[in-house]
Amino acid sequence: MQGKIIKTLEFDKIKSLLLEHASSTLGAAKIQELYPSSSYEDVVRMQAETDEAAQVLRLKGTVPLSGIHDIRQHVKRAVIGGRLNPAELVQIASTIYVSRTIKRFIENMVEDGDELPILTEKAGQIRVLTPLEHEIKNAIDETGEVLDSASETLRQIRQGLRANERRIREKLEGIIRGKNAAKMLSDAIITIRNERYVIPVKQEYRGNYGGIVHDQSASGQTLFIEPQSVVDLNNQLREWHMKEEQEIERILSALSNAVAINADDLAVIVDILADLDFMFAKALYGRTIKATKPAINRDGVIRLHKARHPLLPMDEVVANDIMFGKDFTTIVITGPNTGGKTITLKTIGLVTLMAQAGLQVPALDGSEVAVFKDVFADIGDEQSIEQSLSTFSSHMTNIVEILKRVDHESLVLFDELGAGTDPQEGAALAISILDEVYNRGARVVATTHYPELKAYGYNRDGVVNASVEFNVETLSPTYRLLIGVPGRSNAFEISKRLGLSKTVIEQAKSYIGADTNQVDNMIAALETAKRQAEKERAEARELVRDAEKLHKDMQKQMMEFYARRDELYAKAEAKAAKVVEKAKDQAEDIIRDLRKMQLDTKATVKEHELIEARKRLEEAAPKLEKSGRKIKAAKDKHAFKPGDEVKVLSLNQKGSLIDPVGDHEWLVQMGIMKMKVKESDLEFVKTRQQAPTKHLATVKGRDYHVSLELDLRGERYEDALLKVGKYIDDALLAGYPRVSIIHGKGTGALRTGVQEYLKHHRAVKRIRLGEPGEGGSGVTIVEFK
């Protein structure tokens, strides 16, 4: 891939913005080396790394990476026997601490159930060097000061040093508080010169104190004298300082040796922290521009949903749907200047470079980007004064170089193709160049002014016209890309809005050929039709959403109705059972009385007559079923089969049987609603007369093949929910106890929508996210009742 493309498409500016999110010079160095890869495997791996880091940021908000230092030179010097200074050792301890903290941070997330394979692998390579970290921190504080606790010897030396300093100060304070001190001293203070304690004495009184003169003031009127009485004490203090320096050197040497022993582990830590800082810098930048992870393909297909140019303010830039590479491989964008054609061109190129560099792209979930071996662009006025080339010559020089290298694995971007020369010749050259690149199999997006190219897309398969919408009412472009609609001239409309005479405009139109007018009228009609279609599509989506909501409400109400009905039936059965039990008890009492009467009066009531009477009493008791209706006689019971028209007694509604879904239970279609109903709640109406082949094509049963998983990745939100509803119905008909719905990770919007829909579905018993072996948080497992 040419280095020139990085500057042309402003990828270097993306790297500058990326640098703002690095936590260390290690991450910044990797960002400086960042370059789009043309390897599909490398791009997929880099995108996965960025996505994992983005997942951590979504869940935790931030990561503990502050305090990383590039300690590679410190470690190298320690290995060859050099003694590190306190500041260098503090940086090493800080880096070890960050590595230990981020390792535990990642492990905790994994323990909580988050699936982070790449980060887990990197964290596993970090060797915990807590002993070395504590050894350094116990000896040196954060400011680089060697602590008394570094060694017992250093503690004793500093105790002696402080005691010696105290004695010196006591003697000097006695001198400066003496009765003649105010007269002989320039100032009643104790100061230090040449690392020895002195007092400021006036020049004329130097002989009164004796000792050693170490310095004098600029005027020569004050001498800084070490009095004879403290010379020996200052000498002792100097000796204490020398011992302190020797002990500190010994401590630093020992710590440097410990660093050298752990050099290999420290090198690994530095490499891993550099990778982590780089990964999270990419994720942080992606969060800043509201980017998403694109799907990656090697088929030359680009599908960008609401793509934005990342260097333009988000509240100003217009998002566009850009899709090509499958049904058509070339887009020709026509239309006037300042309409946004060049921005669209740069958006496609820059988004591709970002994706191939492992960065997430400023577009909605479900976007897809191809990996190209080369990206070529001829954009802007690259006229070179030094080379004395015209604009046309400069563009043609670039195009010649592109044509030398372009192939089926290339993305080519032409801005104002053929401009800068005679319009007829320029248009002819543009068509010829497009033909050449198209025939080589490259993916091409070109912008042009030439009206001749409007017909280019109609005459060739795999080529489509496009334009950037212009609002004649406001005399300004809307920057919306219209694929399938060529740009049209707005000169007459704009002139009319600005007040140009109607006569002048009509005369100008007479100079335009009939063919040109027809083309403009056709384009205007296409634009109107497209706007109307988009409006109707939005209205249809709204109707679908309302219907789904109504369907959910009806399902909820039906479930509540059945629950309430069953509750009332249960209460009625319990009450009836009590009545029957009471009747039986009374009947037994009557029979006992009859027996007693038989014995007492020696009546002729026979035992078989008593048994028969009791049997009649039992048969008189009402027979109840859960539905609250009398059970049909066996002779009236109908053998139901798919396609039968039936009446659902509890709802007083007619429907048709689809398929059995359990013992004595059927799935019934009533209008747009499907419902499981028990046979006892069904009344046969008639058998539908239907050809067997048609029946098999329309009624799905347990033998109907339904996949155990539904893949929604790349689907729009509304389309995905419609597919989920249909798939759940099919899975229920197939008798599956459990299915998987793959929605991917992304921003989580699709996962939330799917799970919200499933929570309110009457047939769903439980939902959960997939285990690590099932797809993790990118999959929802659905269990049915």
Side-chain angles (χ1 to χ4, degrees), residues 390-456:
S390 68
T391 300
F392 176 75
S393 299
S394 177
H395 282 297
M396 289 309 302
T397 301
N398 289 338
I399 292 170
V400 168
E401 290 300 316
I402 291 172
L403 293 178
K404 287 179 181 178
R405 301 178 57 189
V406 69
D407 60 17
H408 67 284
E409 295 183 297
S410 302
L411 171 65
V412 186
L413 307 172
F414 290 125
D415 188 29
E416 299 301 343
L417 184 59
T421 187
D422 177 78
Q424 284 188 327
E425 294 181 355
L429 272 173
I431 292 172
S432 180
I433 292 167
L434 284 176
D435 279 342
E436 178 67 20
V437 179
Y438 170 75
N439 290 332
R440 294 193 194 182
R443 272 44 180 178
V444 187
V445 184
T447 69
T448 180
H449 276 119
Y450 296 131
E452 290 85 351
L453 267 73
K454 294 176 184 179
Y456 185 82

